[in-house]
Amino acid sequence: MSGRAMRWDETLLPPLMALAIAAVVGDLLILAFGASPGHVFGLLFEGTWGNAYGFGQTLYKTTTLVCTGLAVAIPLRAGLFNIGAESQIAAGGFAAALAGLALPAGVPWPIAAVLCLLAAAIGGGLVAAVPGALRAKFGASEVIVTIMLNFIVLAFLNWVVAAKLHVPESLHTPEIATGGVPRFADFISIFHGSAANVTLFVALALAAKMWWYLFRTKQGYELRAVGLQPEAAENGGVSLGRTWFQAMLIGGAIAGAGGINYVLGYKHYYEEGFATGSGYIGIAVALVGRNHPVGIVFAALLFATLSQGGLAVNAVVPKQLMDVLQAVVILAVAVCVPEVRRVLRAAGGRAA
Amino acid sequence: MRKLLVVLGGLVLLHVALLFARPKGADASPATKRVRVGIVFDLGGRGDKSFNDGAYEGGERAIRELGADVTFIEPGEGSDREPGLRLLAAEGMDLVMGVGFIFTDDLNKLATEYPKTHFAGIDYAISTDSTGKVIPPPPNIAALKFREEEGSFLVGALAALAGGSKKLGFVGGMDSPLIRKFEAGYTAGVKHVCPDCEVIAQYAGVTPIAFRNPSRGKELALSQYQQGVKVIFHASGSTGLGVFEAARSMNALAIGVDADQFREAPGHVLTSMVKGIDAAVYDAIKRAQNGTFAGGIIGFGLAENGVGYVYDANNKAQIPDAVRAKVEALKAEIIAGKIKVPSTT
């Protein structure tokens, strides 16, 4: 990736093409439902980028999706499919809430927030370490192990919260004593009411760090080599098991860190199902972002817009329509990337 | 390259053209003085055959009969609940409702931010301070609370009178104060008409999954039937489907919950303890329309027809007239306040 010079047409055209296809398919879907596309897309824009509150909500969702997207992409670069971001982010959020509950209220919030972030990363990392270790030691399929762990971890967390920790007649833990981070609304009043908070910068920093790791460090190089051609990498002296374990661990830790967006930035407690579906959308984010940290940030923004927009247009068209539209985006990207590149290469070949 | 740009341009043009397409009947602008109501469902969403569907029916009825302008929102994940409510409140709706106790915190927050908007919460959780005193909800929230124990009392009495056994069964979903209310009322109803009867009460679990675990429901029900129980009352969501299955295979009886569940096992459903969520939603919308909406705790019990039991052509044959008369007498006594039904076990 990094060795070759970036070609702007190969980078920009496929996503633009995919978006155009998705927009037209969206129009047809909306028409099929009997609503007017102009009205629905107008509402979608108004509810996401059209006002500060909607934009704040979009940024809030972006934060979570950057983390789950990276959590899928890093293992995927090493050739592993991490389907477990769903439970890794839940475990991370839970660990952050536990840390926040355990710390005395007097601890200043920046210190507490860092400790909670560490706890979240450890929580998510622990969950991902299981499939990583099983893959490295016994060759167990990480796909099956992560899917199964989703059930186990989520059920376990539900049980702990329901049986031990919850506030009566609710599904959440008590509020954390300290560690809550400021929201954008605290500095810029037009964001009032939106959940966007400074953890967005944590997510962006993680994306930057991962770019550096993948493309500028020896370990990142080895990780990509293992993903591209495991036998060759092994012959070159790279330990497959160690690399796989490491990739899963990093992915899980980043997914776990995503949990602080809700726990530290929004509600200040862990609630069952606070990030339902974000682990699975993370797979789509990684695919659409082509496993590249920069692409993932933009893909997360796109899917966050669709998700928040889905809420804004829910009064006119059913929720399922936006789910279908998300799927259309994924398919369009999957088709456009190789197809556009093929056409461009062919054209380039003729010109030369 | 040029070919691709042409295709891209064509797609964009097509999209822009479609933006102006207006199918017949789309975006009819709503009449001005109709009451505007927004309802946000719980994550289960529509199709749960329980309270979300009940709320939907209530909203639909208000559209038909009151001409209300009702907007429904189905949040996709937990963090979408508050934004869903906020979207509706920001639009200046007259009444914004959250379906399910889980909306309690979100409603409290928004009610203080939008003091002029009416809010209503189904099963809204009333909090108490450290001394056990009730903390009233903000003045613009109507907490729609059902007295499930009253309906459960009647089906308990009915089961003891018509069931033909001194052992009665109860299967709860998640062990929680809400479901304990059902058990408490049921047991009290049984004991009221048959002091030496015994109630075997079991719960499917301690997590929300206990509301969607039919195989566990069947297991519990089978073991109860084998101990000599003839009638089981379930308050366990779709876990109850397993209870009905057990009733069918053991040729025994079960009692449904929330809605009339006769169709789940025709011939094996003695009755159902119904919870009138649709009526509560309709009632709240009606009050918002005619200006009599008031905040506070609004109870729905037997007196308000908020809870009750099913007696119709389907189960008439299983309930002797004498039993029916006795249960109706109990109902009148509860409404008159002569019987106090406990809400905790």
Side-chain angles (χ1 to χ4, degrees):
Chain A
M1 260 293 140
S2 64
R4 176 157 40 84
M6 285 245 274
R7 285 185 53 181
W8 71 268
D9 50 353
E10 279 194 16
T11 313
L12 281 181
L13 267 182
L16 285 178
M17 195 69 101
L19 276 184
I21 292 173
V24 171
V25 174
D27 289 333
L28 297 177
L29 283 171
I30 293 164
L31 278 175
F33 187 74
S36 121
H39 181 58
V40 173
F41 274 108
L43 276 180
L44 194 150
F45 180 79
E46 168 64 29
T48 53
W49 295 64
N51 65 64
Y53 166 72
F55 188 58
Q57 285 301 112
T58 307
L59 289 180
Y60 168 77
K61 287 172 180 259
T62 305
T63 308
T64 304
L65 292 182
V66 167
C67 291
T68 53
L70 287 171
V72 176
I74 302 297
L76 206 53
R77 283 273 180 182
L80 298 183
F81 228 135
N82 178 15
I83 316 287
E86 187 82 4
S87 56
Q88 288 150 13
I89 189 172
F94 183 71
L98 278 189
L101 285 169
L103 288 169
V107 180
W109 73 261
I111 298 171
V114 170
L115 291 174
C116 289
L117 171 62
L118 284 177
I122 292 169
L126 277 179
V127 173
V130 176
L134 290 179
R135 172 75 202 231
K137 287 265 176 234
F138 308 108
S141 160
E142 78 287 353
V143 173
I144 293 174
V145 177
T146 49
I147 291 177
M148 288 304 148
L149 262 185
N150 280 346
F151 291 105
I152 295 170
V153 170
L154 292 176
F156 174 73
L157 291 178
N158 289 352
W159 172 75
V160 174
V161 172
K164 309 280 177 205
L165 266 174
H166 75 138
V167 175
E169 297 214 47
S170 79
L171 297 177
H172 59 75
T173 63
E175 281 201 17
I176 53 175
T178 174
V181 301
R183 292 194 194 181
F184 290 174
D186 298 342
F187 315 115
I188 312 167
S189 58
I190 53 166
F191 277 116
H192 177 77
S194 87
N197 58 74
V198 297
T199 59
L200 174 64
F201 300 117
V202 175
L204 293 179
L206 282 172
K209 170 83 186 148
M210 281 305 115
W211 177 82
W212 182 262
Y213 174 78
L214 280 177
F215 301 117
R216 290 291 180 272
T217 67
K218 176 170 161 284
Q219 284 170 326
Y221 177 77
E222 288 178 358
L223 188 149
R224 287 185 294 131
V226 167
L228 288 171
Q229 194 42 269
E231 286 85 2
E234 200 172 25
N235 279 331
V238 181
S239 156
L240 291 185
R242 189 183 53 79
T243 310
W244 280 332
F245 181 74
Q246 205 170 321
M248 281 306 279
L249 200 63
I250 293 173
I254 294 176
I260 64 168
N261 185 30
Y262 181 89
V263 174
L264 301 189
Y266 185 18
K267 292 284 187 175
H268 299 174
Y269 50 65
Y270 169 86
E271 181 178 286
E272 191 209 320
F274 75 88
T276 308
S278 60
Y280 299 119
I281 300 181
I283 300 171
V285 169
L287 174 78
V288 173
R290 295 168 62 197
N291 297 328
H292 192 289
V294 177
I296 283 169
V297 170
F298 284 103
L301 192 60
L302 170 66
F303 279 93
T305 304
L306 287 177
S307 166
Q308 176 63 18
L311 200 61
V313 302
N314 193 215
V316 188
V317 293
K319 178 178 76 175
Q320 284 76 6
L321 194 139
M322 291 311 281
D323 296 345
V324 173
L325 199 56
Q326 286 193 351
V328 171
V329 171
I330 298 167
L331 284 177
V333 168
V335 172
C336 283
V337 170
E339 190 59 22
V340 169
R341 205 179 283 175
R342 191 183 60 77
V343 173
L344 285 174
R345 293 263 161 87
R350 262 203 309 277
Chain B
M1 179 79 197
R2 191 180 300 146
K3 205 167 76 187
L4 283 173
L5 287 178
V6 169
V7 174
L8 184 62
L11 282 170
V12 170
L13 274 180
L14 180 60
H15 171 57
V16 171
L18 282 171
L19 284 183
F20 291 99
R22 250 164 223 287
K24 251 194 318 205
D27 336 317
S29 57
T32 39
K33 55 181 200 303
R34 298 196 305 180
V35 63
R36 295 177 69 222
V37 181
I39 297 177
V40 184
F41 294 116
D42 193 3
L43 288 187
R46 281 180 47 202
D48 66 349
K49 294 188 185 171
S50 178
F51 58 72
N52 285 308
D53 277 350
Y56 180 72
E57 267 167 43
E60 286 283 291
R61 201 176 128 208
I63 295 174
R64 276 197 315 272
E65 295 177 16
L66 305 173
D69 178 11
V70 183
T71 301
F72 299 100
I73 286 191
E74 292 179 81
E77 53 174 338
S79 59
D80 277 346
R81 274 198 313 271
E82 189 199 306
L85 291 170
R86 187 182 291 276
L87 200 78
L88 298 167
E91 260 185 54
M93 296 275 178
D94 300 301
L95 171 63
V96 177
M97 300 182 90
V99 183
F101 72 89
I102 195 150
F103 282 93
T104 303
D105 292 347
D106 306 307
L107 284 168
N108 284 342
K109 188 155 188 289
L110 283 169
T112 44
E113 277 184 52
Y114 293 90
K116 290 199 184 108
T117 306
H118 296 314
F119 290 90
I122 308 250
D123 287 346
Y124 175 97
I126 304 291
S127 43
T128 50
D129 60 18
S130 50
T131 61
K133 236 177 65 187
V134 169
I135 304 170
N140 53 337
I141 295 185
L144 311 180
K145 301 282 283 181
F146 290 85
R147 294 197 295 277
E148 291 91 350
E149 66 273 17
E150 296 186 353
S152 303
F153 183 94
L154 294 187
V155 297
L158 184 60
L161 293 169
S165 166
K166 288 220 178 289
K167 280 186 180 169
L168 286 304
F170 175 83
V171 171
M174 173 179 164
D175 194 348
S176 54
L178 179 65
I179 303 304
R180 290 270 173 190
K181 267 181 16 185
F182 291 81
E183 188 202 330
Y186 180 72
T187 308
V190 169
K191 300 272 183 195
H192 188 84
V193 297
C194 169
D196 59 339
C197 279
E198 183 197 350
V199 174
I200 303 174
Q202 285 172 302
Y203 286 81
V206 294
T207 68
I209 296 166
F211 287 117
R212 329 181 266 272
N213 191 348
S215 58
R216 179 90 181 123
K218 185 173 178 185
E219 221 172 86
L220 291 174
L222 284 177
S223 83
Q224 294 190 359
Y225 287 133
Q226 261 145 14
Q227 292 173 59
V229 166
K230 291 265 168 35
V231 188
I232 295 176
F233 174 36
H234 92 87
S236 60
S238 61
T239 299
L241 298 180
V243 176
F244 290 121
E245 208 181 304
R248 265 202 308 267
S249 65
M250 299 289 287
N251 196 21
L253 292 169
I255 297 175
V257 76
D258 288 348
D260 182 0
Q261 296 192 304
F262 175 79
R263 276 164 306 165
E264 303 298 339
H268 299 284
V269 179
L270 181 59
T271 181
S272 295
M273 201 293 276
V274 289
K275 198 167 153 183
I277 288 170
D278 50 342
V281 168
Y282 178 81
D283 183 67
I285 296 175
K286 196 170 172 183
R287 283 168 188 276
Q289 188 180 44
N290 62 25
T292 55
F293 187 93
I297 302 170
I298 301 174
F300 290 88
L302 289 173
E304 297 86 1
N305 267 327
V307 295
Y309 69 100
V310 174
Y311 177 78
D312 61 14
N314 289 331
N315 63 356
K316 238 178 181 158
Q318 286 158 314
I319 302 173
D321 286 345
V323 171
R324 157 91 175 158
K326 172 81 181 155
V327 174
E328 283 298 309
L330 289 173
K331 180 176 171 181
E333 281 183 66
I334 293 173
I335 292 174
K338 281 187 210 143
I339 300 178
K340 280 298 252 177
V341 182
S343 59
T344 49
T345 47

